[in-house]
Amino acid sequence: DAKTTQPPSMDCAEGRAANLPCNHSTISGNEYVYWYRQIHSQGPQYIIHGLKNNETNEMASLIITEDRKSSTLILPHATLRDTAVYYCIVGTRYGQNFVFGPGTRLSVLP
Amino acid sequence: DSGVTQTPKHLITATGQRVTLRCSPRSGDLSVYWYQQSLDQGLQFLIQYYNGEERAKGNILERFSAQQFPDLHSELNLSSLELGDSALYFCASTAGGGGRTDTQYFGPGTRLTVL
């Protein structure tokens, strides 16, 4: 079973920030939070990951709460090409055996 | 482009047959993971190999087997195929040696259709 809980779907207006929440209340101290997305039937694409500090890269920002029980992926200026299923996963640093839940289907609307 | 390649892109076969899916990891990556994605099941982890050795097993059927070769490419063998085996099969690779950037990078997948 997936160790994370995400809303099944969300809409976002093009050009606005998309904030995707994830609950991972049973996360262990050595587990990272990873975010991937899957566009249509393409291979999942890595977005970002973090342990406890907030992270930012060219694609997104990851905000992890202080108790690490939840996190939010932020796409700062969503475009139509960001329409995809977004997966939040917790996994260890070595040999991660990811458990993918159903994810959040983000629809970016014009 | 993730750097992970998979062949073939599409495969159509009949029930009872056997097929082999191939995965080449990113250059330098030692670990290969296999996943199955069917319409009603989502992405399911099947098996992981690290530097030629089996590292972890997930929901892999006994009819399925995999191996990783000395050049680090991997093959997933599916035998006695059933209609329910129709799915997308993805492989992913990581450096496998740990480290902060040890994330999984996925290939484009092989779409298997069993008729």
Side-chain angles (χ1 to χ4, degrees):
Chain A
D1 291 336
K3 300 180 186 178
T4 63
T5 305
Q6 299 175 253
S9 64
M10 292 181 64
D11 291 339
C12 177
E14 187 178 18
R16 305 295 295 267
N19 297 289
L20 292 90
C22 179
N23 287 321
H24 32 79
S25 59
T26 61
I27 191 170
S28 301
N30 65 341
E31 288 183 317
Y32 287 72
V33 180
Y34 293 82
W35 283 85
Y36 283 76
R37 71 181 182 184
Q38 188 174 25
I39 299 171
H40 297 301
S41 297
Q42 299 176 20
Q45 178 190 23
Y46 166 77
I47 301 173
I48 199 167
H49 75 288
L51 183 62
K52 51 186 172 182
N53 298 322
N54 297 339
E55 302 288 343
T56 295
N57 63 20
E58 65 279 1
M59 288 182 70
S61 295
L62 174 61
I63 309 297
I64 303 174
T65 58
E66 195 168 338
D67 63 6
R68 302 211 319 126
K69 293 185 177 181
S70 65
S71 60
T72 301
L73 177 75
I74 301 172
L75 308 178
H77 305 287
T79 71
L80 298 179
R81 291 191 299 176
D82 292 322
T83 293
V85 177
Y86 286 77
Y87 298 100
C88 167
I89 303 156
V90 296
T92 56
R93 185 177 177 180
Y94 302 96
Q96 311 95 329
N97 300 324
F98 288 165
V99 177
F100 284 80
T104 295
R105 183 172 297 277
L106 174 69
S107 298
V108 180
L109 307 174
Chain B
D1 184 2
S2 66
V4 179
T5 60
Q6 290 187 247
T7 56
K9 195 169 182 179
H10 301 278
L11 196 49
I12 301 174
T13 188
T15 54
Q17 295 299 305
R18 173 190 170 94
V19 298
T20 297
L21 313 182
R22 182 187 170 106
C23 169
S24 292
R26 295 186 315 156
S27 177
D29 282 1
L30 299 177
S31 265
V32 171
Y33 302 73
W34 285 97
Y35 291 84
Q36 178 191 55
Q37 186 174 35
S38 51
L39 278 174
D40 58 349
Q41 291 275 325
L43 265 162
Q44 300 283 322
F45 166 69
L46 295 178
I47 197 164
Q48 177 204 356
Y49 276 81
Y50 172 73
N51 204 20
E53 300 288 327
E54 183 183 303
R55 172 68 71 91
K57 246 181 180 176
N59 300 319
I60 188 166
L61 300 172
E62 285 192 11
R63 300 183 286 109
F64 296 0
S65 65
Q67 54 185 327
Q68 187 178 28
F69 295 86
D71 67 352
L72 300 175
H73 90 271
S74 178
E75 292 181 356
L76 179 67
N77 300 296
L78 314 176
S79 62
S80 303
L81 285 168
E82 302 174 358
L83 296 177
D85 297 327
S86 295
L88 277 165
Y89 291 85
F90 291 104
C91 80
S93 75
T94 70
R100 196 175 184 283
T101 58
D102 200 18
T103 59
Q104 293 187 25
Y105 292 89
F106 284 78
T110 292
R111 182 178 291 279
L112 173 67
T113 302
V114 182
L115 301 175

